[in-house]
Amino acid sequence: MINPWHSRPFDVHLWSEHKQVMDLTERIFETFSPEEQDMIKGRSNNRGKTDLYKHLRHVLVDQYVSYKLDPSLCTGIARGAKHWNVGSRYNALNLSRRIVDVIDLLVIHKLLDHVNHSHDSNDTRYNRTGRIRPTDKLISLFRDLTIELEDIEFHKDEEVIILNLKDDPADAKSKPQPYEDKPAIIKMREEVQAYNAMMAEHFVDVASLDYPYLVRQRRNKRGLIDTQRIWTTQDNKFTRRTFSRGSFKLNGRWNGGFWQQLPKELRKDIFIDGDPTIEADYSGLHPNLLAIEFGGSFDGDPYTINKQLMDNQRQVMKGLLLKVINAKTIDSGIRAFQTDERGYKKKDLVELLDAYIEEYPFMRDAIGSDKGISLMYTDGQIVTKVINRFVVQDIPILPIHDSFIVREEDEELLRQAMYRACYEVVGQTLKFDMEANVNDGTIINSPVKPDSPYDRRWRAWSDKHPKPNYIDRVDDYEEELNQLEIQRLIEKDKN
């Protein structure tokens, strides 16, 4: 029985030219009638094998990935022609709606199970696309394959610069938009591609997980409780930069790596190339950026005021302030906070904001003014400069919006890179917190226990990927000047 809510989206960027995949594709193709084969081949004059098998092979590879991840997992797939735009930069393999015909054919031949889409205009909570899943017949063929997920290309020619209409990439109405390449966009794409290429050669995993995934429950936008499985596998490190509202000056954050979906407590357990890590984040980045813009400053923590109005005040102040900074009005920001944090009355939150503005009057024009989306562009620029500094030296780094995770041995490089990036983007340094992953009884911490599930995953991967030798490709003279400038900024910040 298919559970349509236990699903993953159909992946248009999966690809494999492994001999076993090619043989399986041809074997299934030969079971079809001549008329069915003609339907798969289409009317293209180019009937070489690549074109002949492309759509069928793609469906089989996608379903093999689902089977390897979880045999009970089904796949959501849209059938409308508008979802299969050949020539789009977001459909690099140029898959057409013919792929839906291939799926229907596999259903007829009892290789795929299928559940129709669901739509109710009166109650959209249960709306979803159609679902497919391998049948026992197809699974029996998959069992004969010995290829691993590592043998499959997960992001074949995938676009890494995304231009959306909406602020939230997860919004169902946020459709990637076409755009023309310009020198600045090409440069951004090269930066992200260089980062992905580097990270493909480094092992990132969560040492405390027995299996390479985290299962968690959360309430989705429909108000329903979803059980979500976050895969911490090496194919889930792929990163993009996403821009919003049809503008390359709004948003632009780096997103996509599985570590961005982990709770902060679990991020402490991340190991890179078998080594423990630290995390550093800019302290109150958005309020501090606004202070620079509006000519003010904070004496200390931007989420703390002298007047005590409620319990757990700093945590409430931080969550509320970030909501009203992102909102177009103060009222909508308060409502957004109340949606996430139940039990707070509007009058108490208004009183807290009034006290905040009284203490920091320069923030009056910053809240309820939709500044968040432009602040994300600024922090995206800062993150880019930090990442580039690591990439040029082939040293792994994990961005999480305004924070970074690196190996413990790379702490000083991260410290220097964060100071310098702020200075280059906003003209001054900003403070940040550096937190080592210290064992508090709930995390594994170094050293990893021999023959633990993590240790076995790491050894299996490192056998195929010898640990890289880090080569400093930065010009020595330029680096010496950089070090002097960074040291000057650090001393200035201490004073």
Side-chain angles (χ1 to χ4, degrees), residues 324-375:
V324 295
I325 286 174
N326 281 282
K328 294 181 179 180
T329 66
I330 293 176
D331 279 349
S332 62
I334 291 175
R335 288 197 301 272
F337 176 82
Q338 289 175 311
T339 299
D340 290 345
E341 303 292 338
R342 310 276 180 173
Y344 290 95
K345 296 180 179 179
K346 179 179 178 179
K347 66 180 184 63
D348 295 330
L349 298 176
V350 169
E351 183 181 7
L352 184 61
L353 280 177
D354 287 343
Y356 187 83
I357 296 302
E358 182 180 351
E359 190 157 335
Y360 305 115
F362 61 86
M363 290 289 287
R364 182 179 303 277
D365 294 331
I367 64 174
S369 58
D370 197 23
K371 297 292 294 184
I373 198 72
S374 57
L375 292 171

Side-chain angles (χ1 to χ4, degrees), residues 276-338:
T277 59
I278 61 166
E279 181 171 348
D281 68 289
Y282 287 106
S283 307
L285 180 59
H286 281 190
N288 278 307
L289 290 176
L290 289 170
I292 294 172
E293 179 179 346
F294 289 94
S297 65
F298 296 100
D299 294 332
D301 181 4
Y303 303 119
T304 301
I305 56 176
N306 292 322
K307 184 182 292 186
Q308 186 67 33
L309 297 174
M310 62 175 65
D311 295 334
N312 203 23
Q313 181 166 295
R314 184 194 180 276
Q315 183 176 341
V316 174
M317 187 70 257
K318 180 177 180 180
L320 177 60
L321 185 61
L322 293 178
K323 289 294 185 184
V324 295
I325 286 174
N326 281 282
K328 294 181 179 180
T329 66
I330 293 176
D331 279 349
S332 62
I334 291 175
R335 288 197 301 272
F337 176 82
Q338 289 175 311

Side-chain angles (χ1 to χ4, degrees), residues 186-212:
I186 294 172
K187 181 175 183 293
M188 289 191 295
R189 181 178 297 113
E190 290 173 346
E191 290 169 335
V192 181
Q193 288 174 337
Y195 173 75
N196 282 328
M198 178 191 75
M199 290 306 302
E201 299 303 319
H202 293 278
F203 184 80
V204 183
D205 199 3
V206 182
S208 56
L209 295 177
D210 289 338
Y211 301 97

Side-chain angles (χ1 to χ4, degrees), residues 68-104:
K68 292 291 286 185
L69 292 175
D70 179 353
S72 68
L73 190 64
C74 58
T75 306
I77 184 165
R79 299 180 63 89
K82 66 180 180 179
H83 297 285
W84 303 98
N85 184 7
V86 175
S88 165
R89 66 170 63 249
Y90 306 110
N91 180 9
L93 297 181
N94 289 319
L95 300 175
S96 71
R97 195 185 178 279
R98 192 189 313 167
I99 206 159
V100 176
D101 297 328
V102 170
I103 288 172
D104 290 343

